[in-house]
Amino acid sequence: MTTQYTKALIVVHREESAEDFREIAMRIKKLDPTICGAMAPEYISEEMLPAHFLILPLLVVYLVNPPASNNDQGVIRNASNLAVESLNKIQEYEHFKKHNIPCLPIEKFRWGMELDPAIYGDWVVLKPANIQSTGQDINMVPTKLIPKLTLLDFPDDHLIRKDEYYVQKFVKCGENPTHYRALVFLGEVILSFKAEQKSSYPNFFSKLNTLLSTSVASNMQEHRNISLTIDFEMNELAKKVSKTLSDYPLFGIDVIRDEETNKLYVIEINSGGNTWAFSSEMAQKLRLQVNSGELVDQYAAWDVAAEALVRKARELAS
C-alpha cells in the first residue's frame, strides 16, 4: 500500500489543536492521496516514524518544539523543515527595514536616554519586552520626557519593575487604540480580526502619572472588542511580510493604520507559534467573543491550510 505514496508530510502542532489538524489531514488526503501525512501533537522523532516515512521525500512543519539545531537528538534526518521561531522586537524591526516593510522606529529603553524628535516625533510608546500578551502597562509618553523618567514615576505594580522595556514611535489609530491581526499560515491568510480597546486614548494634556497608569494597547484581553474583519490591503501587507521569512510557517501579524495619513505599519509578526487562535489556550478569551466556527469559516481555514500544506509538500519534500 505504501508504494502509492510519493511524498511524506508531518505537522507538529500543539496538543490542544489535535482536532483542528485531524480536519486538515482529511482534506489533504482528498486533495492529494499520494502525500503520506501525519499530524503529531507536541513532539516527533525519527524513532517514532513508520519506516516508509523515512524512505519518502519528507517535509516536517514545526508549529511547536522545533529541534534547536541539525545536531539536536530530535531532528529527522534527510527531511526538509519549516519551523516557528521567536524574534524579539529589535530583530523584527531590523528585518522590516532590510525588506522595506513599513514599520515604526523602536529601541531598548534606557533610563536617561534621549530620543531624536525628528525620528520619533512628539510622542512615543513604552512597551514591555517579554510580558506582552496581556496588553498591560503599554504607555504613551511625550518624547521630551523620556530622559527625565525615573522608576519613582511609575505605579508600584507597573511591569517596568519586572521586565525590560522598549520605546517606539507613537501613532494614533482612531479614537480608541486599534490594531488588525492577520493569521498567516504558509503564506496564506486563514484568519483576520480587528481589536479595539473599549477606552479612548488618554488626553494629550494628561499629567505624567495618568499617562503611566493608562495602557494604550489594543490587545488588553479584558478590555477590548474583537470583530472578524477582512481588509485586503492589510492582508497583502501581511502576506508580503511572510514571504520575507518563508522558512517560518506561522505568523500572527499585527498591523496598525495611522489615522492622520492612513498609512499602514507592521508592529509585530509573532512568529513563535502561539497564534493558532482556533484552539490555542492563549486565545480562549478571543473565542468567547467570536465563536470558533466563525473563526474557521471566515476564510474556510481548514481548506486553505490543507491546500497550502499540499503545495509546500510538493515544493519542498525532497
Side-chain angles (χ1 to χ4, degrees):
M1 293 294 292
T2 59
T3 55
Q4 65 179 308
Y5 297 124
T6 60
K7 293 183 182 294
L9 167 69
I10 299 171
V11 180
V12 186
H13 58 80
R14 294 184 184 276
E15 187 172 1
E16 66 262 24
S17 300
E19 182 58 34
D20 299 351
F21 285 92
R22 275 195 287 270
E23 291 287 338
I24 293 168
M26 289 189 292
R27 287 161 172 78
I28 290 172
K29 188 173 182 180
K30 291 180 181 178
L31 285 170
D32 191 340
T34 71
I35 295 175
C36 180
M39 305 290 149
E42 301 291 347
Y43 178 77
I44 193 75
S45 68
E46 194 169 290
E47 294 73 23
M48 298 166 64
L49 295 178
H52 61 276
F53 270 80
L54 299 175
I55 62 174
L56 289 168
L58 173 61
L59 171 65
V60 185
V61 179
Y62 292 94
L63 302 182
V64 65
N65 299 334
S69 70
N70 288 335
N71 296 321
D72 193 305
Q73 187 175 6
V75 75
I76 299 172
R77 293 170 294 174
N78 302 319
S80 299
N81 297 318
L82 298 174
V84 295
E85 179 180 348
S86 294
L87 301 177
N88 65 44
K89 288 180 172 60
I90 302 300
Q91 291 173 316
E92 290 183 356
Y93 176 67
E94 294 300 327
H95 181 82
F96 297 157
K97 295 294 287 184
K98 180 179 178 181
H99 293 275
N100 297 313
I101 303 297
C103 57
L104 297 173
I106 187 171
E107 58 186 283
K108 286 187 176 181
F109 171 74
R110 305 180 308 279
W111 299 108
M113 71 187 304
E114 294 190 5
L115 298 172
D116 184 351
I119 296 174
Y120 283 91
D122 294 332
W123 288 81
V124 293
V125 172
L126 289 171
K127 57 174 61 176
N130 302 301
I131 307 172
Q132 300 172 20
S133 61
T134 65
Q136 181 183 349
D137 295 338
I138 298 176
N139 312 115
M140 51 184 280
V141 179
T143 306
K144 64 183 180 182
L145 292 186
I146 290 295
K148 302 175 184 178
L149 290 178
T150 71
L151 191 58
L152 294 177
D153 292 317
F154 292 82
D156 291 341
D157 59 351
H158 198 282
L159 288 179
I160 203 165
R161 302 174 187 276
K162 303 176 184 178
D163 198 357
E164 294 181 337
Y165 257 66
Y166 294 115
V167 59
Q168 187 171 38
K169 183 176 180 177
F170 169 77
V171 165
K172 192 168 183 283
C173 309
E175 185 65 27
N176 299 355
T178 302
H179 81 278
Y180 176 93
R181 170 165 291 193
L183 184 63
V184 182
F185 180 62
L186 300 177
E188 301 294 338
V189 178
I190 59 172
L191 173 66
S192 59
F193 60 84
K194 181 174 73 173
E196 181 178 6
Q197 192 181 134
K198 294 179 181 178
S199 301
S200 60
Y201 290 96
N203 189 296
F204 280 73
F205 299 101
S206 298
K207 293 182 179 180
L208 181 61
N209 61 346
T210 299
L211 294 172
L212 295 180
S213 59
T214 305
S215 182
V216 295
S218 48
N219 66 330
M220 295 180 68
Q221 294 188 7
E222 305 292 343
H223 198 64
R224 66 179 181 177
N225 292 315
I226 296 289
S227 57
L228 294 182
T229 304
I230 297 177
D231 184 309
F232 294 106
E233 184 182 7
M234 292 192 183
N235 282 359
E236 287 306 308
L237 177 56
K239 289 194 287 187
K240 177 182 177 181
V241 174
S242 74
K243 288 177 183 177
T244 68
L245 289 161
S246 57
D247 288 342
Y248 293 20
L250 182 65
F251 302 89
I253 298 178
D254 292 337
V255 180
I256 62 173
R257 187 185 295 275
D258 186 331
E259 72 165 8
E260 292 186 2
T261 65
N262 210 38
K263 186 174 180 180
L264 301 179
Y265 296 97
V266 179
I267 299 300
E268 297 180 2
I269 62 172
N270 298 288
S271 56
N274 294 323
T275 55
W276 191 263
F278 306 102
S279 52
S280 68
E281 292 181 1
M282 292 186 68
Q284 285 180 343
K285 291 179 180 177
L286 182 151
R287 294 193 299 275
L288 291 176
Q289 292 185 273
V290 182
N291 181 274
S292 297
E294 293 179 81
L295 299 180
V296 176
D297 291 343
Q298 185 188 29
Y299 290 92
W302 300 162
D303 294 322
V304 175
E307 290 164 6
L309 283 164
V310 167
R311 183 178 67 253
K312 284 295 181 182
R314 290 171 177 169
E315 175 188 345
L316 298 177
S318 59

